[in-house]
Amino acid sequence: MTGTPKAIERLVQRWDDQQAAYINHREQRFAIIGDVLARLCAGSDDFTDDGTGLTVLDLACGPGSLGGRILERFPGARVIGLDYDPVLLTLAGTWLTGRYGDRFTAVDADLAGAAWIQQLPAGPVHAAVSSTALHWLKPAELVAVYAALGELLPAEGVFMNADHLRYDPRSQPFLTEIAALDDVQTQALAHAGGAQTWDEWWADAVEIPELGQRLPERERRFADRPPTPHASLGLHLEALRAAGFSETGTIWRHYDDVVVFARR
């Protein structure tokens, strides 16, 4: 398999399909994030309705699923995609730069460290987003990322995080059970319909030479990153308030799949 534009596009589509197997109503999450960004543009003299003047930071952007939807919906906006996974970041850069040119900027940086904010390109960032990624951070690392965002974003800037924020099985056993059942059913339907599993997608991805050659570096970077304890929704909201965000809450929820919102 070669990394032709069509092969890259097919790989990104298969990524979306396999992610939708693990995330019920995934497109609804993306749509409501876009709706909030549209409201941000409409309520500001600094941006036009098509997003001209707006720069969005996509934290742990993966192959660019959320960033791509933002660039498509707002033809004047710019997206900075930051990720520490060299395979997924290369895929994002190849796909989104090919479609949107210099409106997308890829940044290779580690959110678990303190230096990522210095690695961003010069210029203001008006909004930050993330999807199905920040649960990989340890709670202390997550708090540090939110503190950095509190300093980075301007007054009235917004942050949105779409992620699985698990119920507490000790105090919420029924909700934990039905959320897990919903996950199982969603995966079964998607895989029966032909969606790839996580492992199947990765096997295909590394067959593309420019992605496969980055696999050893990916394995090196994540060799000492064991699974982390999941931060609760309450911790997310509390950390955002401590970081200086004046308004926090949730703007969408399906069981334990939540879109967290914060406004400076």
Side-chain angles (χ1 to χ4, degrees), residues 151-175:
E151 296 181 1
L152 176 68
L153 294 176
E156 300 186 356
V158 299
F159 166 70
M160 288 169 283
N161 176 31
D163 209 346
H164 280 299
L165 303 182
R166 303 296 186 185
Y167 295 117
D168 184 344
R170 296 165 299 178
S171 61
Q172 299 168 302
F174 179 78
L175 292 174

Side-chain angles (χ1 to χ4, degrees), residues 222-244:
F222 294 112
D224 60 348
R225 301 274 178 113
T228 61
H230 285 286
S232 67
L233 172 59
L235 188 150
H236 281 261
L237 296 175
E238 184 177 337
L240 287 164
R241 287 190 290 267

Side-chain angles (χ1 to χ4, degrees), residues 131-198:
S131 177
T132 324
L134 298 187
H135 63 267
W136 288 105
L137 295 176
K138 298 175 182 177
E141 294 167 347
L142 178 72
V143 170
V145 167
Y146 285 172
L149 286 178
E151 296 181 1
L152 176 68
L153 294 176
E156 300 186 356
V158 299
F159 166 70
M160 288 169 283
N161 176 31
D163 209 346
H164 280 299
L165 303 182
R166 303 296 186 185
Y167 295 117
D168 184 344
R170 296 165 299 178
S171 61
Q172 299 168 302
F174 179 78
L175 292 174
T176 298
E177 181 182 354
I178 61 173
L181 178 61
D182 185 69
D183 286 346
V184 170
Q185 292 174 335
T186 301
Q187 291 169 36
L189 285 171
H191 293 152
Q196 292 182 306
T197 66
W198 173 268

Side-chain angles (χ1 to χ4, degrees), residues 44-131:
S44 174
D45 294 333
D46 296 329
F47 318 123
T48 62
D49 288 345
D50 73 348
T52 298
L54 178 70
T55 297
V56 180
L57 172 61
D58 187 358
L59 296 172
C61 67
S65 296
L66 177 53
R69 284 161 175 78
I70 292 170
L71 291 168
E72 186 68 23
R73 180 164 177 174
F74 302 97
R78 295 181 60 248
V79 169
I80 301 166
L82 181 152
D83 208 295
Y84 193 51
D85 186 319
V87 176
L88 295 182
L89 188 64
T90 298
L91 179 56
T94 302
W95 178 50
L96 294 179
T97 302
R99 289 175 65 95
Y100 303 105
D102 62 4
R103 292 175 54 213
F104 179 76
T105 302
V107 175
D108 184 354
D110 185 4
L111 289 173
W116 66 268
I117 202 161
Q118 281 77 44
Q119 295 172 253
L120 299 178
V125 172
H126 308 103
V129 298
S130 188
S131 177

